[in-house]
Amino acid sequence: MIYMKERIKQVDSNIINLFESYGFKKLQRNISNEYFIYIFIKHQLFIILKGSNNIYDYPGYINIIVGKGDYTYPALDKTGYPLWKIACYVDHNMNHSEYPFCILYNDNFVDTLKHDIEKYLKPFINDGDMFWIDND
């Protein structure tokens, strides 16, 4: 089986091109054999793509977190919204969750990300509209 670090290197340029196609710039990229994280920014907006197959994160996961403002911890707990929670809101279905880590090894991994971004985050990536926040 191909190690995670090698697999990320195979799709690295596709991941970067995907988010840059929406006008986001890569701010950070860290890759190891146990985790990866990409941070993209556009003005005050951010997108974080991260995954881990560390035994302490069992089962392994991949997640996209989006938001506006500070993308560092602990502020991220208030400014960031995971894609799976947004999908639950949009679809009125609580069965969404983080991506299983094994999706990284699918040939269509980046296409899956693109599809979900288009479906659930289009207003956010276009103009920062965070429609899933209850502003009552």
Side-chain angles (χ1 to χ4, degrees), residues 25-55:
K25 301 292 180 208
K26 179 180 64 71
L27 178 68
Q28 179 181 335
R29 173 184 63 205
N30 292 328
I31 302 169
S32 78
N33 278 326
E34 294 182 341
Y35 74 92
F36 65 87
I37 185 167
Y38 290 82
I39 300 175
F40 298 89
I41 59 169
K42 177 169 78 172
H43 310 296
Q44 289 293 315
L45 306 178
F46 64 83
I47 298 175
I48 299 172
L49 172 65
K50 67 180 188 171
S52 175
N53 67 349
N54 186 299
I55 59 170

Side-chain angles (χ1 to χ4, degrees), residues 5-6 16 47 101:
K5 190 172 184 178
E6 295 304 313
I16 293 169
I47 298 175
F101 193 81

Side-chain angles (χ1 to χ4, degrees), residues 76-132:
L76 181 61
D77 290 339
K78 292 183 180 180
T79 61
Y81 302 88
L83 174 63
W84 69 268
K85 283 190 177 181
I86 297 166
C88 288
Y89 175 83
V90 171
D91 291 345
H92 305 288
N93 178 345
M94 297 307 295
N95 292 327
H96 293 285
S97 64
E98 297 167 321
Y99 298 105
F101 193 81
C102 61
I103 196 173
L104 177 65
Y105 297 95
N106 292 354
D107 289 337
N108 63 348
F109 170 63
V110 176
D111 291 335
T112 299
L113 296 179
K114 183 175 183 174
H115 172 269
D116 290 350
I117 289 167
E118 290 283 326
K119 181 174 181 179
Y120 299 112
L121 299 176
K122 192 76 164 169
F124 173 79
I125 61 175
N126 284 338
D127 61 15
D129 183 5
M130 296 181 10
F131 61 88
W132 58 85

Side-chain angles (χ1 to χ4, degrees), residues 51-73:
S52 175
N53 67 349
N54 186 299
I55 59 170
Y56 298 111
D57 291 327
Y58 184 81
Y61 69 90
I62 296 174
N63 203 358
I64 296 175
I65 301 170
V66 300
K68 192 180 292 186
D70 191 351
Y71 55 84
T72 62
Y73 287 105

